[in-house]
Amino acid sequence: MQAILGGGISGLSAAHYLLKSGSNAKVLLFEGGGRVGGWIWTAKQKNGLLFEQGPRTIRPRFETGLNTLRLVEELGISNLVTGIPSSHPTAKNRMIFVNGKLHALPSSLPQIFLRQAPFSKPLAAALLHDMKAAKKTLDDESIYSFVERRLGRELAEYAISPMICGICAGDAKEISVKFLMKSLFEWEQTHGSITKGLLATAWKNRQKIWSKSPSASLTNLDLASKAKQEKWSVWSLKGGLEVLPQTLLKSIQSQGAEVELNSCCSQIDFNKDGALLTIGNKKIQAKNVISTVPAQRLALLVERQHPILSRELSKIPCVTVAVVNLAFKGKVLNYNAFGFLIPPSENKPILGVIFDSCSFPQEDFTVLTVMMGGHWFESRLGPSPSTKSILNTAVDNVRSILKISDEPCDHHVSVLKDCIPQYIVGHYERVERIRDYIRKHKLPLFLAGSSFDGVGVNDVIFSAKKAALMAL
């Protein structure tokens, strides 16, 4: 029997790939909560509005993105896919809030040669800064430090810091440069600068964008071809992104997988036959375990037998994010853009706002999503903020920054506890030590999910695929 811990998108995907392999082994998935889908959650309001609590769009490119498109095809829901082309305003227009004002970020090549506030110089000047900056030999460093050294403080402060807030709700001064800029970091280490590395690898990297690698198993008439032809920037699903995990659930159950909700694992004991799981008051023997639960959660499960492994797992932190969805009757927004982010130095209680209805209109409503907390949850929102205080803070900031006088006609507030792992400096070396330990001790344990190889939807689905193939 193959056991899967966690019923988020990675756990469901792991079950899908195990079943797809043709193995006759029984697949049993345990989810500690009362629903599957994890942080992919579409709240359906009584008035028909859809509020996304977590991810809302997925990128189609590179091997991981193409793999997700293939999964959608395998599930038979290609007809529900809605692509947003790179020419769409929400793909081009992104803003930051600095010094009390919203500023548009450069969105075209000519614009990087012009000075745009809040930057004191054209962004092209950052390339000159890179060419002059001395190479620094390092194993890892924070993404803020790397960008500040090679491209200048303003780019680190006004571009990278808010971007990290938007992606993982983290502090760029703590997040590893390998989280988003591994190639750029390696270019410096190999070629001496980002610019030299870019020139040396430009054609190779361009070919990778729509690479149809063997592992992606793509044809010429698939979603990937459509995405390339129509130049998708991102895509989503009609009915909300939660359609994906819900369809996966139905698919794996129809193929014989068993899914047990409200079934929390409290301990894993490895033995000669595999692993003995303690689920509530039951003991379940499994040949292999695919864990998609957060690393800190897994640390508690293996602590008794493997304290060294547990200590390494426990050092991968997570942050809590408050998500506030707001709907206004009519078109009250003066911008057509993806949204805006706020650098931590502004010391605002919100991280940014996504303009949902600019990408996916919902009748005569303006729909926004406010992201709050993350690395600064307690310091800016308090140790135990009430739902009302979170809502009031979100509404006050949205109305002030976006100059909206109307009151929202609908809302939804969620506090997503420990929802995003933080890939702090040294993360990738730690993950390698974790996997080395598992290999050395020949544990029937395979890791997937957002704690290890990427926090995006594409990343966790691809990690589930690799874990499933290794577990066969």
Side-chain angles (χ1 to χ4, degrees):
M1 191 264 285
Q2 303 274 17
I4 300 171
L5 300 181
I9 189 66
S10 51
L12 295 167
S13 298
H16 170 84
Y17 291 118
L18 284 172
L19 293 164
K20 183 185 173 186
S21 71
S23 171
N24 293 324
K26 182 179 179 181
V27 175
L28 190 53
L29 184 151
F30 299 100
E31 164 57 40
R35 58 175 289 276
V36 300
W39 304 120
I40 298 181
W41 174 21
T42 305
K44 299 180 180 179
Q45 303 298 96
K46 292 180 179 179
N47 56 12
L49 290 174
L50 300 179
F51 288 158
E52 295 286 8
Q53 309 304 290
R56 64 213 59 229
T57 57
I58 301 176
R59 293 192 178 278
R61 300 181 176 187
F62 301 104
E63 186 177 12
T64 57
L66 299 175
N67 179 72
T68 301
L69 290 176
R70 181 59 178 167
L71 173 63
V72 168
E73 291 178 327
E74 292 169 358
L75 294 173
I77 54 173
S78 298
N79 61 310
L80 299 180
V81 173
T82 301
I84 296 291
S86 56
S87 59
H88 194 277
T90 60
K92 296 192 303 181
N93 302 332
R94 294 166 187 264
M95 299 181 290
I96 56 173
F97 182 79
V98 177
N99 296 327
K101 295 180 181 179
L102 285 171
H103 303 274
L105 292 172
S107 59
S108 65
L109 184 61
Q111 287 181 349
I112 71 170
F113 296 98
L114 303 174
R115 189 186 74 81
Q116 290 183 235
F119 301 98
S120 62
K121 299 177 181 178
L123 291 191
L127 297 179
L128 296 176
H129 191 286
D130 173 61
M131 293 295 288
K132 295 177 181 179
K135 173 185 174 181
K136 191 172 183 180
T137 303
L138 297 166
D139 293 326
D140 197 3
E141 71 177 309
S142 77
I143 192 168
Y144 186 100
S145 172
F146 174 76
V147 172
E148 184 181 34
R149 280 197 306 106
R150 299 232 57 93
L151 301 173
R153 189 197 68 82
E154 286 188 343
L155 208 60
E157 189 67 37
Y158 298 140
I160 298 305
S161 285
M163 181 170 66
I164 291 296
C165 288
I167 293 173
C168 69
D171 186 351
K173 294 180 179 179
E174 295 184 2
I175 300 297
S176 168
V177 63
K178 298 176 185 178
F179 175 59
L180 285 183
M181 296 184 171
K182 184 179 180 182
S183 295
L184 275 62
F185 179 72
E186 290 176 346
W187 289 347
E188 179 194 25
Q189 301 304 304
T190 304
H191 301 281
S193 77
I194 295 173
T195 308
K196 291 177 182 177
L198 175 64
L199 295 174
T201 60
W203 177 250
K204 181 179 178 182
N205 289 328
R206 187 173 185 272
Q207 292 297 97
K208 281 183 179 181
I209 292 176
W210 296 106
S211 171
K212 295 188 175 183
S213 64
S215 61
S217 302
L218 301 171
T219 69
N220 291 324
L221 299 174
D222 54 20
L223 282 174
S225 298
K226 185 177 181 181
K228 181 178 180 180
Q229 182 179 6
E230 297 178 1
K231 299 180 180 179
W232 291 357
S233 172
V234 294
W235 60 270
S236 191
L237 293 169
K238 296 173 184 176
L241 205 56
E242 194 176 0
V243 169
L244 180 56
Q246 291 297 333
T247 305
L248 268 170
L249 174 64
K250 293 176 183 176
S251 175
I252 64 173
Q253 286 180 322
S254 70
Q255 297 175 71
E258 294 183 20
V259 177
E260 295 191 9
L261 301 179
N262 300 307
S263 298
C264 191
C265 182
S266 58
Q267 187 166 301
I268 302 176
D269 293 301
F270 299 101
N271 54 38
K272 61 182 179 62
D273 297 317
L276 187 66
L277 309 180
T278 301
I279 309 287
N281 57 4
K282 298 186 298 184
K283 299 286 186 179
I284 306 291
Q285 180 67 46
K287 178 185 176 183
N288 295 308
V289 177
I290 297 177
S291 174
T292 69
V293 300
Q296 291 189 343
R297 174 66 186 150
L298 179 59
L300 299 175
L301 306 186
V302 301
E303 184 177 17
R304 191 182 69 81
Q305 280 188 335
H306 297 278
I308 295 175
L309 175 61
S310 177
R311 281 196 295 273
E312 289 282 20
L313 288 164
S314 68
K315 292 177 182 177
I316 300 177
C318 292
V319 297
T320 296
V321 177
V323 176
V324 180
N325 307 103
L326 301 174
F328 298 85
K329 186 64 177 175
K331 309 300 181 184
V332 300
L333 196 59
N334 295 319
Y335 306 91
N336 192 2
F338 179 80
F340 68 88
L341 294 168
I342 305 179
S345 57
E346 291 294 305
N347 199 31
K348 299 288 285 185
I350 69 173
L351 302 174
V353 178
I354 301 170
F355 302 165
D356 296 285
S357 51
C358 289
S359 294
F360 304 106
Q362 297 196 53
E363 298 183 359
D364 189 32
F365 291 94
T366 297
V367 180
L368 310 174
T369 299
V370 186
M371 301 172 294
M372 310 169 69
H375 176 82
W376 304 270
F377 188 93
E378 187 169 330
S379 63
R380 295 185 182 176
L381 300 179
S384 300
S386 67
T387 298
K388 183 177 181 181
S389 70
I390 291 173
L391 174 62
N392 289 341
T393 299
V395 171
D396 289 346
N397 279 269
V398 162
R399 296 180 69 195
S400 171
I401 294 172
L402 296 176
K403 312 303 180 187
I404 296 174
S405 58
D406 298 33
E407 289 287 344
C409 62
D410 200 359
H411 69 268
H412 190 284
V413 179
S414 298
V415 176
L416 309 180
K417 184 171 174 55
D418 297 333
C419 63
I420 308 181
Q422 301 293 283
Y423 290 16
I424 59 177
V425 173
H427 171 83
Y428 294 90
E429 291 76 13
R430 173 167 290 112
V431 171
E432 188 56 37
R433 290 196 299 272
I434 289 169
R435 290 201 162 109
D436 281 345
Y437 183 98
I438 292 171
R439 284 191 292 265
K440 179 181 177 181
H441 291 81
K442 298 180 180 179
L443 302 181
L445 175 65
F446 303 91
L447 307 177
S450 60
S451 289
F452 306 103
D453 304 307
V455 301
V457 175
N458 289 330
D459 300 318
V460 299
I461 290 175
F462 198 66
S463 74
K465 182 178 185 178
K466 291 193 293 185
L469 293 177
M470 292 174 64
L472 293 173

